Amino acid sequence: MAKLNLNRVEMPRQDPRKRGKNFNEVALGYSPEQAQEEAGRCIQCKKRNCVAGCPVEVDIPDFIQAIRDGDMPEAVRILKSKNALPGICGRVCPQESQCEETCTLAKKEAPIAIGRLERFVADWERGNVPQAASSPPARPRPSGKKVAVVGSGPAGLTAAADLARLGHGVTIFEALHVAGGVLMYGIPEFRLPKEIVQAEVEFVASLGARIELDSVVGKLATLDEILANGYDAVFLGTGAGLPMFLNINGENLNGIYSANEFLTRVNLMKAYKFPEYDTPVKVGKKVAVVGGGNVAMDSARCALRLGADDVYIIYRRSEVELPARREEVENAQEEGIQFKLLTNPKQFLGNEQNWVVGAECYEMELGEPDDSGRRRPVVKKGSEFVIDVDEVIVALGTRPNPLIASTTVGLETTKYGTVVADEETGKTVKDKVWAGGDIVTGSTTVISAMGAGKRAAASIDEYLRG
Ligand SMILES: Cc1cc2nc3c(=O)[nH]c(=O)nc-3n(C[C@H](O)[C@H](O)[C@H](O)COP(=O)(O)OP(=O)(O)OC[C@H]3O[C@@H](n4cnc5c(N)ncnc54)[C@H](O)[C@@H]3O)c2cc1C
Ligand code: SF4
């Protein structure tokens, strides 16, 4: 039997010294030879552990086999039959805690780089099949049923794609002027080029989903009015876009942003191309980002690329507890982001013009585990110190915007503002209404939102077919 190659093929990346000054993509993707070599490591297990770890149940061994066979159209077909957003997932999904974690090879050493292969297939299609979006699989016979999908993030797009493939008439209502949700306004260009998001949004549209932009449900029409307008079912995928704050002194000073506002300005409104695009953004020289998740890493790395000399991540626990993807923490470290761990702001200090000039912080230590299972950070008495800053970005997490819940009769919500829905089906307590993604779970991941969209689409289909 051939000896197992345990070394996964590394993916080339932009040099850290150069990439900290540009918004071009950091990871450069596999060449065809590298993809072949990595695909060649897959042992085509009978028990498909990798598939069990994928929330959208992609037939992983089959698309990897198609790469090995050099049959790229077949690899695309297999991948896209389950996942309408492979170029996105191949870039930002935490495969290390999903399909790659359950891959059989992970028990021995390096699992197959499933995410990188997924990205390779999606990129091959975009580079070689220019009309990919305009030549989707044949449309099924219309069911005559109408479904409204509210929100065009990964949850909404996935639900819309699956419902359209099943023959239902789907309309996506999106509040912003562009579809994609966090994929467009949150995750920066250097991790997820917007051209790729838009190509995959177009693919969903090509399956038959109509997209109505600038349509804020709860303002232009309420959910109940949509239902009264002849829709047979509604899927709510409006995410968790409301930022949380520290609620400490000085948080209202000039130069302090929520990560949502900062990233929306930079990514969606292209402030990094000012004045070519007319969105201004404060360009700090000493920038503190409070938080330790992907949002904090993205904010810090954007601030660096905008021209900051020193960018600090201020996080109240230790490196082990950082919730961001390991890969993104390493990227940030390589680029020179400075980690102030076991540190928490006490207050922000301002000058006479009310611009932030400092973050007074406590040193922290870890106590007993809290409800989340992580060790609770505890203030070290008398440990206050000041970090000089001229810009602060607060990246503490988000909650759902209350607009829809407050304008809809009969939706049940939790004390965190999330909508209560069945975990398996996404069904809410309100007749004809399903929900999934961050609006139900609070901020999680792209793939868990997609999984929720998929399960809800199956449940809506079952309901519509009586
Ligand atoms: C900066 C950042 C980086 C991240 N990095 C990663 C990562 O690397 N990997 C990962 O897996 N996850 C990451 N995440 C998390 C991930 O992006 C989210 O979990 C995911 O996008 C949730 O999908 P969703 O469809 O539920 O909601 P969203 O993506 O938030 O989409 C919701 C959509 O609904 C629209 N909407 C809201 N209200 C209304 C309304 N009333 N009417 C009509 N439309 C409405 C919004 O405009 C938005 O387009 C990141 C999040 C952020 C903010
Ligand atoms: S578990 Fe890993 S090695 Fe086995 S088929 Fe899946 S990707 Fe290949």
Side-chain angles (χ1 to χ4, degrees), residues 91-94 150-157 173-176 178-183 185-188 191 215-219 237-241 259-260 263 267 294-296 298-299 325 328 398 401 403-404 436-439 442-450:
R91 284 171 167 81
V92 301
C93 283
V150 188
S152 66
L157 288 172
F173 295 96
E174 167 54 51
L176 294 174
V178 63
V182 169
L183 309 172
Y185 76 75
I187 304 183
R191 279 214 294 134
S215 300
V216 188
V217 172
K219 285 244 190 257
T238 47
N260 267 46
L263 289 171
N267 298 316
N294 287 320
V295 185
D298 284 345
S299 303
R325 288 187 75 188
E328 300 310 336
T398 50
N401 188 308
L403 178 65
I404 292 199
D438 284 3
I439 189 180
S443 185
T444 53
T445 61
V446 169
I447 196 68
S448 61
M450 290 176 66

Side-chain angles (χ1 to χ4, degrees), residues 41-45 47-51 60-61 64 99 102-105 111-112 114:
R41 294 176 58 232
C42 172
I43 54 174
Q44 293 291 314
C45 310
K47 188 165 176 239
R48 296 149 67 100
N49 292 328
C50 49
V51 181
I60 295 167
I64 293 180
C99 53
T102 54
C103 168
T104 313
L105 295 191
I112 299 293
I114 300 167

Side-chain angles (χ1 to χ4, degrees), residues 8-12 28-32 34-35 38 113 116-117 120:
R8 55 164 45 187
V9 179
E10 281 312 315
M11 184 160 57
L28 301 174
Y30 277 157
S31 66
Q34 289 169 321
E38 184 59 23
R116 294 173 186 176
L117 291 174
F120 173 75

